[in-house]
Amino acid sequence: MSVWAILVAAGRGERLGLDRPKAFAKLGDEPLLAEPLRRLDACPWVDAIVLVAPPGWEEPAILVAEEEGCGKVQACVAGGETRSDSVRAGLAEVPADALVVLVHDAARPLLTDEVVERVLAPLSEGWDGVVPGLPVGDTLKRVGSDGGVHETVTRDALWAVQTPQAFTADVLRRAQASGAEATDCAGLVEAVGGRVKVVDGDPRLLKVTSQADLETVAGWR
Ligand code: C5P
């Protein structure tokens, strides 16, 4: 089974308030991008990597890959306006004979081989997509623009979904081409009737959105 990983790192990361994209924020003394890239490259389940960089930052991204000695990186392309556009740009670089595509957010640096293994395994049981998730622990409320509570949503069976997300390559291509809208790749696959399974995620796959998240992740490394 040939597994191609798409590492999406093209977000602007405006909430970090830096003069550079989030992928180049400092995690310790390295750019954030270096950590997930090194982990993906070292993962025995991953055969090849497409790196999706912020537009205009392709060369610095390639330099990070070279400095880290990431020999599995086959292409580095510019991302798009939305995450979905960036995944599409990455998918265009995945060859037709790839069987499985693993999509991972560079903003979740602490990827492990175990979570990659957990999302890949069910694909051979007939699932079209597999995503890691954590059961929602907080009480959820739907809130109006005035702050008034409209509804308390039962959290039974609700999971917060992370990346890496694994898909059979043909289903992900079909989902991307369908023009459906979703906030993650799994949502696109679901929209075209694909069967998606949730497996146990990892609390350490925290998505970095703030400076405090960067410090938390640096402490967990
Ligand atoms: O913006 P957010 O943190 O939700 O982004 C999740 C992941 O998607 C990040 O790794 C980010 O770099 C990536 N992304 C992208 N292209 C965009 C927006 C987000 O590659 N246009």
Side-chain angles (χ1 to χ4, degrees):
M1 155 163 118
S2 85
V3 178
W4 278 66
I6 299 175
L7 184 62
V8 284
R12 281 192 281 266
E14 274 156 3
R15 280 163 292 186
L16 278 172
L18 299 174
D19 59 350
R20 68 194 82 166
K22 178 156 65 182
F24 292 88
K26 286 273 184 244
L27 179 64
D29 53 10
E30 287 178 331
L32 174 63
L33 172 63
E35 184 79 30
L37 188 55
R38 186 168 54 229
R39 287 172 179 243
L40 263 184
D41 198 80
C43 177
W45 316 109
V46 171
D47 297 309
I49 301 170
V50 176
L51 182 52
V52 184
W57 288 76
E58 298 92 320
E59 279 193 21
I62 291 169
L63 215 63
V64 171
E66 284 174 0
E67 277 167 8
E68 296 294 329
C70 295
K72 292 181 188 171
V73 176
Q74 303 296 315
C76 177
V77 292
E81 197 54 39
T82 65
R83 182 183 184 279
S84 207
D85 294 336
S86 296
V87 172
R88 188 171 300 111
L91 197 54
E93 300 298 318
V94 174
D97 61 358
L99 291 181
V100 170
V101 177
L102 188 76
V103 182
H104 185 57
D105 291 340
R108 300 181 191 272
L110 300 186
L111 182 72
T112 64
D113 292 348
E114 288 75 16
V115 81
V116 173
E117 192 175 8
R118 283 203 291 278
V119 294
L120 290 178
L123 292 179
S124 54
E125 297 159 9
W127 295 91
D128 299 308
V130 188
V131 303
L134 298 173
V136 171
D138 294 328
T139 295
L140 298 177
K141 295 188 190 293
R142 200 177 308 280
V143 180
S145 55
D146 63 351
V149 173
H150 290 182
E151 183 191 1
T152 296
V153 183
T154 171
R155 68 180 178 217
D156 290 354
L158 283 183
W159 290 65
V161 161
Q162 304 173 315
T163 72
Q165 302 191 342
F167 305 95
T168 54
D170 56 341
V171 175
L172 183 59
R173 284 187 212 279
R174 193 151 38 83
Q176 277 282 349
S178 71
E181 290 290 329
T183 50
D184 70 349
C185 298
L188 289 180
V189 168
E190 293 154 34
V192 296
R195 292 173 68 237
V196 176
K197 180 184 170 86
V198 177
V199 296
D200 286 337
D202 185 338
R204 294 187 179 211
L205 276 171
L206 173 74
K207 186 166 79 171
V208 169
T209 48
S210 66
Q211 201 62 43
D213 295 335
L214 269 175
E215 283 156 29
T216 302
V217 165
W220 283 347
R221 278 196 301 170

